[in-house]
Amino acid sequence: MPRPWEADPSALFARRLGKSARELGTTADHDGCPDIWELDNGDIAVIGRDLTDSYAARLPPDVTIATDERLVVVPGTMLRSAKPDIADD
């Protein structure tokens, strides 16, 4: 049975949402940078630390992570800085 939504691997990066990790002081510029981007199809790409294994045993009862999904964590300040860039609709 097909899923109601599938990620499109051909979508391109359109614009950063919020501030860069450098602007927020959450990177040392050499070991990866968390980031949030809107893709050209309207989906959102999140770059963060993969903590799937760390959280797997303590997920809320109604949360599941499919085998092709990962739980990614970004700094809270990064998501808050993106709020003005995210449409309400």
Side-chain angles (χ1 to χ4, degrees):
M1 178 173 164
R3 293 170 166 173
W5 172 82
E6 282 294 337
D8 179 0
S10 68
L12 302 174
F13 289 87
R15 68 184 181 117
R16 172 179 279 120
L17 300 179
K19 297 178 181 178
S20 71
R22 182 175 301 162
E23 291 174 285
L24 295 169
T26 58
T27 183
D29 289 331
H30 59 79
D31 62 352
C33 301
D35 222 335
I36 304 171
W37 282 80
E38 182 175 3
L39 302 178
D40 63 358
N41 66 357
D43 286 348
I44 306 298
V46 178
I47 301 168
R49 295 299 192 305
D50 178 359
L51 294 182
T52 306
D53 293 340
S54 298
Y55 280 93
R58 40 193 178 119
L59 294 172
D62 61 340
V63 175
T64 59
I65 301 172
T67 57
D68 62 345
E69 295 176 331
R70 308 303 291 165
L71 186 150
V72 177
V73 175
V74 298
T77 187
M78 178 164 280
L79 186 58
R80 287 187 292 278
S81 82
K83 187 176 180 179
D85 295 334
I86 301 170
D88 289 332
D89 59 328

